[in-house]
Amino acid sequence: MPFSLDCCGGLNNVDYSKVDLLAMSLLSDYMDVTDPNFIMAVLCIAFNPLFWNLVARWEHTTRSLTRIFRSPYTACYFLGVVIILLNFLRSHCFGEAMKSQPKLPQLDCLLVYYASVTLMAVGVLLVTSSFLALGFIGTFLGDYFGILMEAKVTSFPFNVIDNPMYWGSTFIYFGWSLMNASPVGLVLTVVVALCYTTALLYEGPFTEEIYRNKALKCK
């Protein structure tokens, strides 16, 4: 039987003045989205994956960096260093945003601290092991420079989680935010996860297409 609101007079009888605005109040008390530090952190978080995807695709299409540096390896190392510096800038802006806004007292406890340390340790493990499995060239988009791997890496951590570099980084930011009892840090961590998810929608299929073309040429 279809549900009906007629017995209650429909939604017209709902007193919207009684709606609990506690969540909104907490958000406004502990986070200021107009804070320049917060805005800068969001811009850095969004810019980084956009930058390396655009530059890598530009290189794949034009080989411009390879011509400038006269070697795809040197060009890839150059882009990798730029990405690392941008990630340092992102982390700096992330930290400044947390410093400039209030802490949430409920998160400032020993249990949350242990959880934050665990998350950061898992994140560092995923990032480090991913880097060791792929190497510098593999980590920093070497396939866009025409430097292709012989086979897909399936060893740890890729046999545990897809895209461990991205999610390991997200875990680190999550743990760092909890360690600082920072609501704004948690919000920025969500922004990091959303930006990585969006980047993967473009990176994954494009990278697969590169290796698909390689396989066709080898036949």
Side-chain angles (χ1 to χ4, degrees):
M1 175 184 291
F3 179 73
S4 173
L5 289 172
D6 290 343
C7 64
C8 302
L11 293 176
N12 291 328
N13 282 348
V14 177
D15 185 356
Y16 291 100
S17 65
K18 304 293 186 181
V19 174
D20 186 2
L21 298 178
L22 178 60
M24 293 295 293
S25 176
L26 283 173
L27 189 63
S28 63
D29 288 344
Y30 291 98
M31 197 178 80
D32 177 12
V33 296
T34 64
D35 176 21
N37 290 309
F38 174 80
I39 295 172
M40 183 59 69
V42 171
L43 290 176
C44 284
I45 290 168
F47 175 78
N48 282 17
L50 177 64
F51 167 80
W52 68 61
N53 271 284
L54 289 177
V55 172
R57 289 200 181 202
W58 171 64
E59 164 63 19
H60 179 73
T61 303
T62 66
R63 293 290 183 250
S64 295
L65 288 177
T66 295
R67 287 199 299 270
I68 291 171
F69 290 97
R70 300 184 178 182
S71 165
Y73 290 90
T74 306
C76 184
Y77 276 108
F78 170 78
L79 179 60
V81 170
V82 172
I83 291 173
I84 290 170
L85 293 176
L86 286 173
N87 285 341
F88 277 125
L89 176 61
R90 178 181 62 183
S91 295
H92 171 75
C93 292
F94 195 107
E96 290 301 305
M98 289 196 295
K99 288 179 186 177
S100 67
Q101 300 209 28
K103 293 185 177 183
L104 186 63
Q106 291 86 341
L107 294 177
D108 196 7
C109 64
L110 196 59
L111 180 61
V112 173
Y113 176 80
Y114 286 142
S116 69
V117 171
T118 301
L119 282 167
M120 293 181 73
V122 171
V124 170
L125 175 63
L126 289 175
V127 170
T128 304
S129 58
S130 174
F131 180 82
L132 292 175
L134 293 174
F136 192 97
I137 297 292
T139 298
F140 293 106
L141 306 166
D143 36 21
Y144 288 72
F145 291 80
I147 310 169
L148 304 182
M149 305 184 75
E150 292 299 324
K152 182 178 180 180
V153 177
T154 57
S155 60
F156 182 82
F158 293 91
N159 58 350
V160 175
I161 185 173
D162 290 333
N163 307 296
M165 183 72 72
Y166 281 176
W167 301 125
S169 177
T170 304
F171 287 166
I172 291 171
Y173 282 119
F174 187 18
W176 191 19
S177 301
L178 289 177
M179 183 175 288
N180 286 273
S182 174
V184 74
L186 295 175
V187 171
L188 289 173
T189 300
V190 172
V191 177
V192 170
L194 288 174
C195 288
Y196 279 157
T197 300
T198 303
L200 288 170
L201 293 176
Y202 294 91
E203 284 183 30
F206 195 80
T207 302
E208 288 177 5
E209 182 65 22
I210 291 174
Y211 281 93
R212 192 177 299 116
N213 291 336
K214 175 196 175 184
L216 291 174
K217 290 178 180 178
C218 293
K219 287 184 178 180

